[in-house]
Amino acid sequence: MIDFMRWSFETYCRTHPGASVGSWLVDTALFEQAWSIVTKDSTAWWWSSWICTWTVVYTAVIWFESSRRGIKYRWAYMVLGQLVAISVSTSLFLTALVLHPPTYVIRPSYHLQLLLPLVMAMVCILCLPKTIDTKQFMPVLVTLHLLLLAPFASSPRLDLPSKKGSGRPSGSRMVYIELALLASVIHQLNTRQLLASIPHSGSNFRSLCSKMLSHPAQASISFDVVWVFVVLLVWALTTGSTTSILLKAILAGAAATLGIISYAGISWTLILSTLPIVLLALVGVTMFGLSRVRTRNTRRRAELLAKMGLEENVIVPGTANSPPRKIGKQTIIGFWHPYCNSGGGGERVLWTAIMHLQRLHKETVVLVYTGDYPAASKEAILAKIDDRFSIKLHPQYLQFIPLPSRHLVDDSYWKRFTLLGQSFGSICLAWQGLCGPHGLWGDIFLDSMGYAFTWPFVRFICGSEIAIGAYVHYPTVSSDMVKRVRERSFGIENAGASGSWYKTQIKLIYYHILTSLYATALLFSQYTMANSSWTSAHITSLVSEARRGWLSSLLLMDDKAIAIHGDKPTGVKTVYPPCDTTALSSLGRLDHRKRELFSLAQFRPEKDHAKQIQALAKLFESHPEHRDGDQRVTLTLAGGARHPADEARVDQLKDLARTLAVDANVTFLLNAPYPEIVRRLGEASIGLNTMQDEHFGINVVEFMAAGLIPIVHASAGPLLDIVVPFNGQRTGFHAKTADEFASQIHEALSLSTTQQGKIRRAARAAAEQRFSEREFNKGFEKGYIELLRMIGGQSLLES
């Protein structure tokens, strides 16, 4: 623009020798002069029309989004665009969108107060090049600019957002479509005129570039168009889910590469001939990078041990009373548990294992990879462990490694291909935990949540010096899941495909690929523990299948796995989770309990809490005497709500209870402290667990230890491991559907006090003898010793 004003002044001086700047400004209409230049021919107008039509659409964007997000001074963005540059205004407004999440919902309506001036603005754009060198030119141009400010005199009608999220503002989609159609008509006409004006022997691209730099005024408009395009492209490529960002980046990179090749005329043969060199260079760079990462980890390890007051591989001088001695290598074990602060059964396994290490292997350094830290401090996490599980841990040799991008393994983050997305996310998270700003690894990597896709990545990054173990609660993919997809039965993993044969076939292919990759990843664990015979059987089957596959041979894992585990097909060991049988077994009143159904589980979709409420409604329908009076039955749903999605799920359950008219008999107990849970368990009569294919079911064991009669889903751990006869005595009931649960609840409540007492005592005895913390510690200690042998041999064990 400075160049334009210099040109304008010099042009004025040619016809007015000795003129001053003041006279030039008085006599020259700079605004009209500039716009006359950028609209004088078809090539110039082709550039200018883009900035004009985008400004019209941009006005609608500002009008909707500023209202929806509560952005102040929305008119200022349009004024800034008209006085400075639309690209500058666009960049600032997109920044405002990032800083202001949606707060309101725009009510559905036909937004005439917005659409009318913008349609008139489009008409002005269409007429503008036809009024060059006429008296109508300036009135049309000024009208265009004023029409773009007119919508800001009003605002759309707003509502507060729904609990499910505000989504796209109502009505905006139609406005955008209508404006885009009008803009496309204008650009189609302009492009036809442009092509007709360029000689057949000329290049369209070169002609546009030449016009772009032909005059300072034209360059100002043309570069504004280019920068708007760049800003919008960057915005499009960097917003959305991680999957969409990656896909868009890949497509953009491919398109750019093909465009460069097409324009430059590069030979494909030449490109292919360079591939071996490129591959060798990539291998070299990768090995160099791994070397640097491992060297950095050695330094970070030394810093951590020094911070804890520990030494390794040093000679301690002797004294008058003791000879010199050598301190060997310290043992550092890392537990992979992104959700360590959730307070569920899987977390009890983690903290019990760490407590066992602190008792028997006092100087073992424990790392916990988690996304809860540092939002929750170490002190807060340890206090919650004590409150929820009555487990006291020493903080001295315990270090948390933060995982800031934990959302990558959240099921709500991946709207499509959830399992694959979570698996990919776990690899990204593993990079963050091992190699990030606070990343570190030790001698043993033990995944206590079952993210198997991290194991080959850990082996690749950390090398052969680290031992990899796992405690698997639930296989990521199981034959039962695939069976439900094949049978097109509705469920958590098949909600969208159960009604379509084509979707089912696509999903079966997806599961087949995912199963092969998952099974191969399982081979990278050198010692695998499973929490139930059901989980163990599935993992064993997957590992056995993987060893017969070509992928296993390619990765050279088969011989190594057999060398570790001997001639057995797998090294999967069943280690039942630790259950607080000691404290719960002391609860009395086995013969005098409230007529209360008690559910204890995190409010996750797979727990199927809805079936418990439906079962209660079925019970009241078939046996109305249980609704009120002396035989009144109540249901308490207790559990942890990890995040807003879980809280929204609780709200949905409350709505379901009201819909089924059982809300007066249903109570929700969220994130209650452990003493409160124990107290309620000591009062309730029946424990409910409705999750299909519950891998184990610590809550079921807690029911039994506390003296409740368990009524559980007839599948997986509760069916095969927990609610089984003990010394010839029944320990509980099984069901599948809501009707069956209602029937079993009635049957259990109808038993005599003596019969109920026999079941309660048998269930408690089974819990005490088979699922105690002591039994878990025995199984975990065996696994830990095996992993120790793999990294240090007998010397470490003796030390």
Side-chain angles (χ1 to χ4, degrees):
M1 292 305 297
I2 293 174
D3 287 340
F4 163 69
M5 287 187 283
R6 182 186 297 115
W7 169 87
S8 178
F9 180 66
E10 291 173 352
T11 302
Y12 181 80
C13 289
R14 291 193 193 101
T15 56
H16 300 77
S20 65
V21 173
S23 61
W24 162 64
L25 290 175
V26 171
D27 296 339
T28 306
L30 291 174
F31 185 67
E32 181 179 4
Q33 189 180 51
W35 274 97
S36 298
I37 292 168
V38 300
T39 56
K40 65 180 180 180
D41 59 52
S42 58
T43 310
W45 177 239
W46 187 91
W47 279 110
S48 305
S49 62
W50 282 103
I51 210 67
C52 292
T53 53
W54 163 245
T55 306
V56 174
V57 176
Y58 177 50
T59 303
V61 174
I62 297 176
W63 196 79
F64 281 116
E65 293 299 328
S66 60
S67 301
R68 191 165 77 110
R69 298 168 185 267
I71 299 174
K72 297 180 179 180
Y73 312 116
R74 53 186 186 156
W75 53 268
Y77 292 97
M78 182 50 59
V79 172
L80 182 68
Q82 293 190 11
L83 295 180
V84 181
I86 286 296
S87 56
V88 173
S89 176
T90 302
S91 301
L92 290 175
F93 189 72
L94 292 180
T95 305
L97 295 186
V98 174
L99 298 175
H100 295 78
T103 307
Y104 303 97
V105 174
I106 297 177
R107 293 182 183 178
S109 61
Y110 193 76
H111 305 286
L112 189 63
Q113 71 272 36
L114 170 69
L115 195 57
L116 183 59
L118 295 189
V119 170
M120 292 173 64
M122 286 289 190
V123 174
C124 289
I125 294 171
L126 190 62
C127 297
L128 190 61
K130 300 177 182 178
T131 61
I132 294 289
D133 299 329
T134 68
K135 293 181 179 180
Q136 289 78 30
F137 181 72
M138 276 304 293
V140 171
L141 189 59
V142 172
T143 302
L144 170 61
H145 284 75
L146 292 176
L147 286 171
L148 296 177
L149 291 171
F152 299 108
S154 63
S155 299
R157 300 174 64 189
L158 305 173
D159 284 325
L160 289 174
S162 65
K163 292 180 180 178
K164 294 181 180 178
S166 57
R168 182 180 291 274
S170 302
S172 63
R173 185 189 299 272
M174 185 56 64
V175 172
Y176 293 149
I177 291 174
E178 291 171 353
L179 294 178
L181 289 174
L182 290 173
S184 65
V185 171
I186 293 173
H187 292 303
Q188 184 181 17
L189 294 174
N190 293 342
T191 303
R192 284 183 179 178
Q193 293 175 1
L194 170 70
L195 296 176
S197 66
I198 298 174
H200 294 294
S201 59
S203 168
N204 298 337
F205 180 74
R206 289 178 182 175
S207 177
L208 288 172
C209 289
S210 176
K211 176 58 69 173
M212 179 180 182
L213 303 172
S214 62
H215 192 278
Q218 185 64 54
S220 176
I221 287 288
S222 300
F223 276 110
D224 205 14
V225 173
V226 171
W227 284 118
V228 166
F229 175 78
V230 170
V231 167
L232 294 178
L233 179 63
V234 171
W235 171 263
L237 291 176
T238 56
T239 54
S241 66
T242 304
T243 304
S244 66
I245 291 173
L246 288 172
L247 289 175
K248 288 184 288 189
I250 292 171
L251 291 174
T257 302
L258 290 175
I260 293 171
I261 291 173
S262 176
Y263 181 75
I266 299 174
S267 169
W268 286 103
T269 304
L270 178 62
I271 293 175
L272 292 174
S273 67
T274 63
L275 283 180
I277 300 174
V278 173
L279 291 175
L280 286 174
L282 287 175
V283 171
V285 170
T286 301
M287 298 308 297
F288 177 73
L290 282 175
S291 175
R292 288 179 60 86
V293 166
R294 293 171 184 174
T295 301
R296 184 178 59 195
N297 186 74
T298 302
R299 185 182 70 252
R300 289 180 177 178
R301 175 192 178 102
E303 291 171 353
L304 176 66
L305 293 177
K307 177 183 174 182
M308 294 180 170
L310 296 174
E311 296 179 306
E312 66 177 355
N313 300 323
V314 297
I315 302 295
V316 178
T319 64
N321 299 320
S322 62
R325 62 188 179 90
K326 179 181 180 181
I327 297 179
K329 187 178 182 182
Q330 297 288 348
T331 302
I332 301 178
I333 178 172
F335 286 86
W336 182 260
H337 209 105
Y339 292 93
C340 79
N341 207 30
S342 295
E347 287 67 60
R348 179 183 285 280
V349 170
L350 168 70
W351 303 123
T352 303
I354 293 176
M355 181 174 64
H356 172 76
L357 290 176
Q358 291 189 342
R359 286 175 180 171
L360 267 65
H361 309 272
K362 297 184 183 298
E363 289 195 350
T364 296
V365 177
V366 175
L367 310 176
V368 178
Y369 300 92
T370 177
D372 295 302
Y373 178 84
S377 66
K378 180 192 286 190
E379 294 75 17
I381 294 175
L382 296 184
K384 182 174 179 178
I385 297 167
D386 187 14
D387 180 58
R388 175 66 181 89
F389 303 117
S390 293
I391 293 176
K392 297 183 183 297
L393 298 175
H394 303 295
Q396 182 180 3
Y397 298 143
L398 178 61
Q399 178 77 14
F400 290 100
I401 307 296
L403 301 175
S405 300
R406 185 179 63 182
H407 61 274
L408 294 177
V409 296
D410 196 308
D411 55 358
S412 63
Y413 183 78
W414 304 94
K415 305 302 181 185
R416 297 288 185 271
F417 301 103
T418 304
L419 290 178
L420 188 62
Q422 287 179 291
S423 300
F424 172 76
S426 70
I427 297 174
C428 298
L429 220 57
W431 168 263
Q432 199 169 64
L434 299 176
C435 311
H438 304 283
L440 177 67
W441 69 82
D443 308 294
I444 298 173
F445 179 90
L446 200 150
D447 176 10
S448 49
M449 283 197 76
Y451 289 101
F453 285 92
T454 63
W455 308 345
F457 182 79
V458 171
R459 175 64 66 210
F460 174 73
I461 293 294
C462 305
S464 60
E465 300 302 317
I466 193 172
I468 299 175
Y471 188 96
V472 181
H473 295 271
Y474 193 81
T476 300
V477 185
S478 68
S479 57
D480 291 347
M481 294 167 62
V482 177
K483 179 182 178 182
R484 283 195 291 274
V485 174
R486 185 178 293 109
E487 294 176 352
R488 297 170 64 185
S489 58
F490 187 86
I492 295 297
E493 67 286 316
N494 197 35
S498 58
S500 169
W501 182 88
Y502 295 103
K503 289 183 178 180
T504 297
Q505 303 311 307
I506 294 172
K507 199 145 195 176
L508 284 173
I509 296 172
Y510 163 63
Y511 269 114
H512 176 74
I513 296 171
L514 189 63
T515 301
S516 298
L517 296 174
Y518 176 65
T520 304
L522 290 172
L523 294 174
F524 283 79
S525 173
Q526 295 165 266
Y527 193 92
T528 304
M529 294 171 277
N531 69 340
S532 67
S533 57
W534 181 85
T535 303
S536 179
H538 279 286
I539 298 298
T540 299
S541 174
L542 288 166
V543 171
S544 300
E545 184 67 26
R547 286 191 181 161
R548 294 192 292 269
W550 63 270
L551 199 54
S552 169
S553 302
L554 178 66
L555 295 174
L556 302 177
M557 281 300 302
D558 194 39
D559 293 340
K560 185 171 185 178
I562 292 176
I564 292 169
H565 302 305
D567 296 330
K568 297 179 181 180
T570 67
V572 182
K573 306 293 189 298
T574 300
V575 179
Y576 292 127
C579 305
D580 186 18
T581 56
T582 303
L584 295 174
S585 295
S586 63
L587 298 173
R589 300 177 55 197
L590 291 184
D591 298 326
H592 300 87
R593 293 294 181 96
K594 294 180 179 179
R595 295 172 66 82
E596 178 184 0
L597 314 176
F598 195 80
S599 167
L600 181 60
Q602 289 179 337
F603 287 97
R604 304 201 306 264
E606 65 270 19
K607 296 299 182 180
D608 202 2
H609 289 87
K611 186 175 289 184
Q612 299 172 10
I613 298 174
Q614 293 163 357
L616 187 66
K618 295 286 185 182
L619 176 68
F620 293 162
E621 182 181 333
S622 56
H623 301 281
E625 67 274 13
H626 292 307
R627 184 184 290 271
D628 297 301
D630 295 338
Q631 298 187 49
R632 183 174 186 265
V633 174
T634 61
L635 168 63
T636 298
L637 291 91
R642 301 164 297 173
H643 40 55
D646 285 353
E647 294 171 1
R649 199 168 289 117
V650 172
D651 291 337
Q652 293 172 1
L653 292 171
K654 291 179 179 178
D655 292 340
L656 176 63
R658 283 191 288 269
T659 301
L660 298 178
V662 297
D663 51 304
N665 298 69
V666 177
T667 303
F668 290 86
L669 192 63
L670 270 67
N671 301 319
Y674 186 64
E676 174 66 9
I677 295 294
V678 172
R679 185 184 70 80
R680 300 295 292 266
L681 285 171
E683 297 174 348
S685 179
I686 291 174
L688 283 184
N689 183 301
T690 48
M691 176 179 170
Q692 183 174 354
D693 291 340
E694 174 78 83
H695 35 90
F696 179 71
I698 288 181
N699 58 341
V700 179
V701 177
E702 290 176 337
F703 294 155
M704 296 165 66
L708 282 74
I709 297 175
I711 302 178
V712 299
H713 196 281
S715 62
L719 175 69
L720 301 175
D721 294 309
I722 305 176
V723 185
V724 297
F726 184 74
N727 293 333
Q729 173 62 49
R730 186 176 197 172
T731 58
F733 297 83
H734 305 99
K736 290 186 176 181
T737 65
D739 287 312
E740 291 176 1
F741 272 97
S743 175
Q744 297 292 53
I745 291 170
H746 176 70
E747 181 178 346
L749 292 172
S750 301
L751 294 174
S752 66
T753 303
T754 302
Q755 291 173 315
Q756 288 185 7
K758 288 181 179 180
I759 295 177
R760 297 183 199 279
R761 279 183 278 274
R764 173 172 284 180
E768 290 175 335
Q769 295 186 31
R770 301 180 62 220
F771 308 114
S772 66
E773 185 179 302
R774 181 183 64 255
E775 291 300 313
F776 168 79
N777 287 339
K778 288 181 181 178
F780 179 78
E781 177 68 11
K782 289 180 181 178
Y784 181 67
I785 295 300
E786 284 298 318
L787 292 170
L788 274 182
R789 294 185 194 279
M790 296 172 195
I791 61 168
Q794 193 64 29
S795 61
L796 260 179
L797 297 175
E798 292 173 354
S799 66

